[in-house]
Amino acid sequence: MPPNTHASPLESLQRDLPSRVGPWSAAGKDRFFNAETLFGYINGGTEVYRAYNLRQCLSRRYSVSGGPSILLDIFDMGSSEDAYGVFTHDLDGDKFAIGQDGRLRPGWLSFWQDRFFVSIYTEEETEAAQNAVIEIGQKVAASIGSTGARPELISRLPAAGLQSDRVRYLHHPVVLNFHYYLSDENLLHISPDTKVALADYRFDNQTATFLLVQYPTAEAAIRSQEKFLKYYIPDANARGVALLENGRWTAIRRIDNLLAIVLEADSEARAEALLDNMP
Amino acid sequence: MTQKRKIITRRDFLRTGSCAVMGTMMGFPLVARAAAQATRKSTVVLIRNANATSGYGTLDEKIVVQMLDEAVMVMLDTRDPGSAWRQIASPDDTVGIKSNVWGRLPTPGALERAITARLLAVGVDGNRIAVDDRKVRSNPVFKRATVLINIRPMRTHHWSGLGSLLKNYIMFVPRPWAYHGNACERLGTIWQEPHVAGKTRLNILVMLTPLFHGVGPHHFSRRYTWPYGGLIVSTDPVAADATGAQIIQAQRNRHFNQVRPISPRPLHIEAADTKFGLGNSHPDQITLVKLGWEDEGLI
């Protein structure tokens, strides 16, 4: 059959998805949702996907007699950057070699691949269901086939001490506050036009949290830097470094349209070293 | 000299020790209270029973209904349930029971039935009682409602931090997503809408098996529920939510063995107090009456 040139990426992918895995088989018709209709499916969770420019979601339910259903949800995020980003919203779990950066927890497998974020979920965590979840994941990953690139911004994170499996990518202030509460207002003017990387660092027994924001222009970065200094660290020294009330250190530096902020570090020297070591 | 605008940041919490002391980012700061804010304390009744539930998806209907009766009597300072419910509704009233149908943790039908039965018992016509969630805007009883009763289970939520009593009214507006900005901070404005304002006589936060953490697109795993066996009852939705939030936060800290703040911070609870004057969010302004089972109460 010739490919349907009008089909969306998910509709194209749908043809290659497994209809049966072990005793589980696809039940009912697949459902498709867009950024508006997704509310009726996953309620408030929709906002997370909208914050990453969701294009479409395909949902397929697999059922088995006498066992739990398995839900396959594939989200077309429009770009590999946003697929990676929405994947990084939940990094808990064990690394698992499926798709790109697969993560496995009891009852839930997630990964990103190319422009897709894939979630496979079962409400009852039986061994058989968990095995079926994994097999579905392997088949979906094979159906997608191609891989995608991580956001270029990630490569600007200092390499030393970076916990590469604890990097998050976003462009919405509520998502930032979800992972690291900074302020009730959007202090850094994070918007769909900004790209943000939030990363954890570890050095022996020291830790740090690093935030990197890429603005469309240097002027926008300057405005956010000024606001951060005014409202968050008015007590900063001339180098933009301040001691927080919990004994940790914050530091900020602008490089053209990039704003680099060490949100917390164990020492002043560590905070400044992180900024100095940006590639 | 211009006055620097107050923006609440993480440092406000660090400065006051809120994170360390409470293990949460709730209840701070009392920077500016809404003009309409009542200065009197709010009463919240927390009732628990070890046998109310044995875990997710289970409840003992008889026990849970007894808990509801006892909590409402204490809340309204009466000696019998009938007298309490007569304070909530009269035979002339039209009553909407705002429930919650979220499939993984809905309002228990047993409680919906019990509330309906008590309204019937005080003389409210059955045709003027309705239980609804998603279709409250088109429900004829809700359209004519003179009294609202608000009941839902508490759970964590992707975007608002918590699925709360305050948030339960989001179905009263035509475009719920219009209230999702800044972690749903403006939910309190819904309570000021003419078809809602001043009608809520009772708020019941179901804490039988609350969800204290969510994973994945569906934000649910039964392993993040626990048999708390509680109901929180108050005429003040903000105080009830703030109390529930403290319990959820304490359970998160206990389960993860570290301070793990509810994320995003449930701004809407605090804003309902400080910006919209709907009630009290700060523990200092809440009189908590605890009844029943005391083990691992977390508050």
Side-chain angles (χ1 to χ4, degrees):
Chain A
M1 193 170 80
N4 177 358
T5 54
H6 297 295
S8 70
L10 273 179
E11 288 167 338
S12 299
L13 180 62
Q14 182 188 22
R15 289 191 293 266
D16 299 323
L17 297 176
S19 58
R20 191 173 184 86
V21 172
W24 274 266
S25 56
K29 292 178 71 173
D30 293 346
R31 292 186 292 168
F32 286 88
F33 305 95
N34 59 31
E36 305 302 323
T37 59
L38 192 62
F39 283 110
Y41 179 49
I42 61 169
N43 196 254
T46 300
E47 291 291 3
V48 175
Y49 298 88
R50 285 163 62 97
Y52 288 97
N53 301 309
L54 170 77
R55 302 288 177 84
Q56 195 176 35
C57 167
L58 179 157
S59 174
R60 174 175 291 187
R61 178 180 290 271
Y62 293 89
S63 63
V64 65
S65 177
S69 293
I70 295 172
L71 275 178
L72 165 65
D73 296 309
I74 308 177
F75 299 83
D76 174 11
M77 307 307 297
S79 69
S80 61
E81 289 83 358
D82 278 336
Y84 169 79
V86 81
F87 164 80
T88 65
H89 191 67
D90 195 333
L91 292 171
D92 288 343
D94 299 324
K95 291 181 184 175
F96 201 81
I98 287 184
Q100 293 184 263
D101 300 322
R103 284 286 200 288
L104 184 66
R105 314 83 173 158
W108 184 42
L109 170 70
S110 68
F111 62 89
W112 71 285
Q113 190 171 333
D114 201 328
R115 59 190 283 166
F116 302 107
F117 170 66
V118 180
S119 162
I120 308 167
Y121 166 81
T122 179
E123 285 190 1
E124 289 183 36
E125 300 157 9
T126 65
E127 187 180 348
Q130 188 84 338
N131 289 338
V133 163
I134 291 168
E135 190 175 341
I136 292 169
Q138 289 166 333
K139 290 184 173 177
V140 172
S143 299
I144 296 171
S146 53
T147 57
R150 286 180 177 74
E152 202 178 323
L153 183 66
I154 304 300
S155 65
R156 300 299 307 272
L157 292 167
L162 175 65
Q163 304 295 289
S164 58
D165 58 346
R166 302 297 299 173
V167 176
R168 303 180 194 274
Y169 177 74
L170 56 109
H171 31 74
H172 196 291
V174 172
V175 178
L176 173 61
N177 271 349
F178 185 95
H179 298 301
Y180 186 93
Y181 171 74
L182 187 63
S183 66
D184 285 0
E185 287 196 23
N186 187 4
L187 212 53
L188 294 172
H189 303 290
I190 293 168
S191 75
D193 295 328
T194 56
K195 299 174 178 179
V196 182
L198 175 68
D200 291 343
Y201 283 78
R202 182 170 291 279
F203 311 89
D204 297 326
N205 57 355
Q206 289 194 355
T207 60
T209 305
F210 191 91
L211 184 72
L212 188 59
V213 188
Q214 182 178 32
Y215 294 90
T217 64
E219 290 71 28
I222 290 168
R223 281 196 296 275
S224 291
Q225 182 183 26
E226 288 172 350
K227 196 167 181 184
F228 188 83
L229 285 165
K230 179 177 179 182
Y231 289 107
Y232 198 71
I233 46 172
D235 47 345
N237 64 22
R239 298 191 309 281
V241 183
L243 176 63
L244 300 176
E245 290 77 2
N246 60 358
R248 309 193 80 203
W249 294 82
T250 286
I252 186 168
R253 188 176 298 171
R254 184 184 66 83
I255 305 157
D256 193 25
N257 66 333
L258 285 178
L259 208 53
I261 303 173
V262 178
L263 290 167
E264 294 196 33
D266 286 320
S267 68
E268 183 177 15
R270 178 66 69 195
E272 295 209 73
L274 273 167
L275 296 175
D276 291 341
N277 290 337
M278 276 183 62
Chain B
M1 195 176 86
T2 57
Q3 192 175 11
K4 190 188 284 186
R5 188 158 56 104
K6 179 63 187 172
I7 294 178
I8 298 168
T9 74
R10 186 184 196 90
R11 293 193 72 181
D12 289 308
F13 295 91
L14 296 176
R15 199 170 290 128
T16 59
S18 315
C19 290
V21 175
M22 296 172 64
T24 178
M25 289 186 175
M26 284 295 302
F28 176 86
L30 296 170
V31 282
R33 303 182 79 81
Q37 173 63 50
T39 53
R40 68 165 188 259
K41 280 190 165 188
S42 298
T43 298
V44 170
V45 176
L46 166 63
I47 186 165
R48 297 178 65 224
N49 188 308
N51 299 314
T53 174
S54 56
Y56 175 74
T58 69
L59 64 77
D60 184 312
E61 181 162 348
K62 189 177 174 190
I63 290 174
V64 170
V65 171
Q66 282 175 348
M67 289 165 62
L68 175 67
D69 280 340
E70 191 175 344
V72 173
M73 282 192 294
V74 171
M75 179 71 227
L76 297 173
D77 194 21
T78 66
R79 293 186 175 193
D80 62 280
S83 301
W85 285 94
R86 276 191 289 277
Q87 290 186 39
I88 294 167
S90 69
D92 297 333
D93 279 316
T94 300
V95 186
I97 301 166
K98 177 60 179 70
S99 186
N100 194 287
V101 296
W102 190 61
R104 293 178 172 83
L105 200 62
T107 302
L111 285 168
E112 294 172 348
R113 289 190 295 274
I115 294 167
T116 302
R118 276 137 190 79
L119 292 169
L120 290 169
V122 300
V124 180
D125 189 313
N127 293 322
R128 286 189 280 113
I129 302 171
V131 181
D132 208 336
D133 178 10
R134 301 284 169 89
K135 294 180 177 169
V136 288
R137 284 181 53 77
S138 58
N139 187 311
V141 171
F142 275 82
K143 282 181 168 179
R144 290 183 278 110
T146 53
V147 170
L148 294 173
I149 294 170
N150 185 16
I151 178 167
R152 69 159 300 161
M154 181 162 255
R155 66 180 181 95
T156 52
H157 189 276
H158 265 112
W159 206 247
S160 59
L162 287 170
S164 61
L165 289 162
L166 288 159
K167 190 172 185 302
N168 205 32
Y169 277 15
I170 201 165
M171 299 315 296
F172 281 108
V173 292
R175 295 186 305 127
W177 52 89
Y179 293 81
H180 286 175
N182 199 24
C184 303
E185 184 183 21
R186 294 173 53 249
L187 285 171
T189 60
I190 296 169
W191 288 64
Q192 296 171 330
E193 292 284 327
H195 57 295
V196 172
K199 293 182 180 177
T200 303
R201 302 276 174 84
L202 192 66
N203 300 280
I204 303 159
L205 193 58
V206 180
M207 301 288 286
L208 295 171
T209 58
L211 179 70
F212 63 90
H213 180 63
V215 291
H218 300 277
H219 197 80
F220 184 80
S221 170
R222 65 179 65 194
R223 68 173 48 221
Y224 296 123
T225 64
W226 89 109
Y228 185 71
L231 297 176
I232 291 173
V233 175
S234 182
T235 54
D236 178 348
V238 186
D241 280 342
T243 303
Q246 284 192 61
I247 295 166
I248 296 282
Q249 183 61 63
Q251 172 65 8
R252 287 170 66 88
N253 296 349
R254 182 172 71 162
H255 179 87
F256 295 112
N257 202 27
Q258 61 175 309
V259 174
R260 187 138 168 182
I262 296 165
S263 289
R265 198 162 79 82
L267 300 177
H268 67 279
I269 299 176
E270 195 173 285
D273 173 358
T274 59
K275 293 188 179 175
F276 306 117
L278 297 176
N280 289 307
S281 67
H282 199 278
D284 291 350
Q285 296 295 317
I286 297 169
T287 300
L288 179 62
V289 181
K290 293 192 272 190
L291 306 172
W293 184 34
E294 293 181 351
D295 291 355
E296 300 180 339
L298 301 176
I299 189 165

